[in-house]
Amino acid sequence: MGKFEEVYKRSLSDPDAFWGEAAEELVWDKKWDRVLDDSQAPLYRWFSGGRLNTCYNALDRHVEAGRGAQQALIYDSPVTGTVRSYSYADLRDEVARLAGVLKARGVQAGDRVIIYMPMVPEAVMGMLACARLGAVHSVVFGGFASSELAKRIDDSQPRMVLSASCGIEPGRVVPYKPLLDKALDLSAHKPDGCLVLQRPENPCELTAGRDEDWHEALSQAAPTDCVPVEATDPLYVLYTSGTTGQPKGIVRDNGGHAVALKWSMKNIYNIDPGEVYWTASDIGWVVGHSYIVYAPLLQGATTVLYEGKPVGTPDAGAFWRVIEQHGVVTLFTAPTAFRAIRQQDPQGEKIAEHDLSHFRALFLAGERCDPDTLEWAQDKLRVPVIDHWWQTETGWSIAANCLGIEQLPVKPGSPTRPAPGWDLRVLDSEGKEVPRGTIGSIVGRLPMPPGTFPTLWNAQERFVKTYLSGFPGYYQTGDAGYMDEDGYIFVMARTDDIINVAGHRLSTGGIEEVLATHPDVAECAVIGVHDELKGQLPVGFLVLNAGCDRPFEEVEKEAVQLVRDGIGPVAAFKTALVVKRLPKTRSGKILRATMRQIADGARYNMPATIDDPAILEEISEVLQEAGYAEQRA
Ligand code: COA
Ligand code: AMP
C-alpha cells in the first residue's frame, strides 16, 4: 500500500485518532472532550468541549516559541509601488493593538464585525484582531456593490464595520466610502461605528459620529490579549452565492478549522515553518481566508499578500518577479490567472527572465482546470502543477494531490483523489452509486472532516435542506462529475444555477433577480457561456413588456449597468440581449441548459418537452449577432 493510501484509509477508519493527533500540534486552553461529536448526527461537530484561540495559534504561539523575528507577512503591492514586511512579533503587536481598539468600542466574543477592505495588511490584521477577541469576522469582497454589502450587514448584524477609503484596480481607484455609505443607507441594521483606513491614493471624508480614523484610533490603543473560545464557536462567516440572490453565510468554527488548516499546510502543500508561501487570490474569497491568512500563519510560514493582478501590474511577468524577489516556494492561484498570463506571454519568455530555482510547486483551484492550461504551466515552469478541488463550504481541499504525503501521478483534468477525511461517492438521481467512469452527483459521506462548515449563519434549516436532504447521509457538493478506475475524481459542472467567472462564484438566479427589477423587463434568463479567459461569462436574455417600444440597445445598456450597480463589477456582466420570447418547456420551465449549449456552439438535442421549437432559432440568431454560438471544436 502506498503512503497516501495508508494515510487516507486511516483518516476514514479512525478519524478520532487521526484528527486528534493533528490537533496536538496546536495550543489548547482546554483539551477537547470528544474529537468527533456525533451526538446530533447528521449535524456533526469537531473537538467539542475544547477551548482555544485561533489568533494565539497563528501569531503569539510562534513569538513565544522564539520565532518572533521571522517574517510573517510580506505585503507586495505593485498598484501602489509598495513592498512591506512584518515579522511575527510585529504582526502580533499590531493585531493586539487593533483588538484593543475593537474591544474599547464594545466588540466582544461572539459579536460580528464586517470587513470591507482591499488587499492591505490592515485587512488581515482586522481578521486576526476579531479572532483574538473571539469576535466573528465577515469579509466582503471589494468588487461587490452596496446592495450586496447591505444584504450581508443585515444578515450578520455587525457591531462594527472595518473599511478603507479606497481600493486600487489597475488604471482606476475604487472609492469604498460612497459604497459603504450607500450600503448603510440601504441596510436596516446599523452598526455602532466604522473604522476607516485612509489611503493616500484617495482619502475620504469621515462621517461624524459614525466613522473613526484607523490610525488615530490605533495610536491611542492598548494591546489586548487572546480570549479563548469554544472550539465549536464561530471564527468567521463568509457569504457565498446560492441559487437565489440571498447569499449563504458559510460558518467556520475555531477548533476544526485550525486543526485542518495546519494539517493541510504540510500534508497537502508540503510547506514547513519558515518557508515562503503565496496565494494569489483575495481575502474576500475562501481561498484567501484559508491560504493567505490562516493556514500559512498557523504553520509558522511566511505569507505573501499581493495587491495586484497576474497581468497589467505591470505585465505578465508579475508573478515571476514576486516569486523571485520573496523566495516563494509554492504558489496557489486560479487557472484563469494562468490563462491571462499565457494570453500575453504564450512562450513564457518572462518566466525565463527570473530565477525560479527555489520554486517547487504550483497549486490551482477555484474553477475547473482545463488540461491545456495545466500542461502549459507544467511545461513552462517544470514543477508539479496540482489541480485541487474545494468550495467555500469546505474551507480546504475535497480532492487533492497531497504533496507532503506522497506525490501521485497527475492526470490533467482531475484534481486527483479525495483528500484524507473525505469519503466521496458519485450518485445517480435516485441516490444509487454509479459505476466508475459514469457522471453523477458528487457527494461526501457524512461526517465531513474538520474545518468544513457546520451550518449556515442563522439558517440551520436552509443548511439541512440545501446540503443534507438531497441524499440522506451525504453532503451534496452541488458539483457533478465522475470517479475513474484509479479513484481519481473529475469535476465537470455544477448541478445548480451557479456559474464560475474568473474563479469567482456567481448565482445566475441572483443576476436574474436584479434584471427583473428593470421597469421594461417582463421576463429574463441568465446563463453562463464559455469564455477562453474567465472560464464562463454571464449572458442575460430579456423579454420586454408588451408595448415597450424603446430601442433594444438602450434597455440592454441599462440592464448591464443595473447588474454592475446591483451586484458589482465582479459579476463581469457585459452582455444583455433582448429576445421576443424565452424557450420553455410546456410546463413553463426556462430551458437554460439548451440555451447554454447553443451559446457555446455545442450540439444539442431538441428537448422533447419544448413548447415552441422556433424560439431556439431566434435565440441562436441573436447570439450569433452578439458574437456567440460559434461552432467550437
Ligand atoms: N474591487 C473593486 N473592483 C474589482 C475588484 C475589487 N477588489 N476585483 C475586481 N474588480 C473589478 C475589475 O476591476 C473589473 O472591473 P471592470 O469591469 O471595470 O473591468 C471587474 O471587477 C471584473 O474583474 P475580474 O473578473 O477580476 O476581471 P479583470 O479583467 O479585472 O481580470 C483576471 C481578469 C483573470 C486577471 C482576474 O480575474 C484574476 O486575476 N483572476 C485570478 C483569479 C482569482 O483571484 N480568483 C479568486 C478565487 S481563487
Ligand atoms: P467557491 O465556493 O467560490 O470556492 O467555488 C466552488 C466551486 O468552484 C466548486 O463547487 C466547483 O464548482 C468549482 N471548483 C473549485 N475548484 C475546482 C476544481 N479544482 N475543479 C473543478 N471545479 C472547481
Side-chain angles (χ1 to χ4, degrees), residues 189 207 231 268 490 568:
H189 173 81
T207 304
I268 298 183
F490 288 75

Side-chain angles (χ1 to χ4, degrees), residues 366-368 387-392 479 491 494 500 505:
E367 58 180 319
R368 182 174 155 71
D387 176 16
H388 58 328
W389 167 49
W390 49 300
Q391 309 177 315
T392 308
D479 281 312
V491 184
R494 291 285 307 187
N500 201 312
R505 175 167 158 180

Side-chain angles (χ1 to χ4, degrees), residues 103-402:
K103 189 177 170 188
R105 279 142 193 86
V107 175
Q108 296 178 6
D111 284 345
R112 275 80 56 211
V113 175
I114 288 252
I115 302 179
Y116 184 58
M117 294 182 78
M119 287 281 285
V120 290
E122 288 80 358
V124 175
M125 291 167 192
M127 294 165 76
L128 291 162
C130 290
R132 194 169 191 86
L133 295 174
V136 181
H137 61 70
S138 187
V139 181
V140 180
F141 177 61
F144 280 124
S146 302
S147 50
E148 289 292 318
L149 177 57
K151 280 182 201 167
R152 287 152 173 81
I153 291 172
D154 275 336
D155 197 67
S156 64
Q157 311 251 312
R159 184 176 286 277
M160 280 191 79
V161 175
L162 309 186
S163 192
S165 58
C166 68
I168 298 156
E169 284 291 287
R172 87 189 149 103
V173 168
V174 183
Y176 275 36
K177 181 66 183 354
L179 296 167
L180 175 64
D181 288 347
K182 192 167 163 213
L184 289 173
D185 276 349
L186 289 170
S187 67
H189 173 81
K190 310 290 173 200
D192 293 353
C194 304
L195 202 57
V196 181
L197 178 76
Q198 294 283 20
R199 302 190 77 186
E201 291 76 14
N202 187 17
C204 63
E205 208 168 298
L206 300 180
T207 304
R210 189 195 75 190
D211 300 343
E212 271 185 280
D213 179 84
W214 188 291
H215 288 302
E216 236 173 79
L218 217 70
S219 66
Q220 294 151 17
T224 193
D225 250 345
C226 296
V227 178
V229 294
E230 294 289 324
T232 49
D233 279 344
L235 169 70
Y236 69 77
V237 176
L238 178 59
Y239 288 87
T240 190
S241 300
T243 47
T244 67
Q246 182 57 36
K248 296 185 286 200
I250 303 299
V251 174
R252 194 79 59 213
D253 66 11
N254 275 275
H257 172 255
V259 171
L261 259 55
K262 172 144 191 355
W263 178 90
S264 74
M265 275 313 276
K266 178 64 195 166
N267 290 281
I268 298 183
Y269 300 93
N270 199 19
I271 297 295
D272 286 314
E275 292 191 311
V276 184
Y277 171 88
W278 174 28
T279 295
S281 175
D282 191 288
I283 49 152
W285 309 116
V286 67
V287 169
H289 277 62
S290 293
Y291 290 105
I292 295 174
V293 183
Y294 287 110
L297 297 178
L298 285 164
Q299 179 68 336
T302 302
T303 187
V304 178
L305 182 76
Y306 176 69
E307 190 182 27
K309 302 264 174 177
V311 292
T313 57
D315 56 31
F319 276 19
W320 325 128
R321 193 268 301 161
V322 173
I323 292 173
E324 178 179 26
Q325 188 171 338
H326 304 304
V328 172
V329 297
T330 294
L331 167 66
F332 173 5
T333 190
T336 192
F338 266 74
R339 290 196 294 270
I341 293 170
R342 183 186 176 181
Q343 259 186 8
Q344 298 201 3
D345 182 18
Q347 303 309 323
E349 282 160 8
K350 298 225 172 282
I351 299 175
E353 291 169 13
H354 295 273
D355 175 9
L356 306 186
S357 51
H358 55 280
F359 185 56
R360 291 203 302 252
L362 168 67
F363 281 79
L364 298 171
E367 58 180 319
R368 182 174 155 71
C369 182
D370 51 295
D372 210 29
T373 301
L374 184 118
E375 280 157 6
W376 183 83
Q378 262 175 349
D379 180 47
K380 299 295 179 236
L381 289 169
R382 307 228 157 260
V383 296
V385 179
I386 307 300
D387 176 16
H388 58 328
W389 167 49
W390 49 300
Q391 309 177 315
T392 308
E393 286 85 344
T394 69
W396 62 284
S397 297
I398 312 171
N401 199 336
C402 297

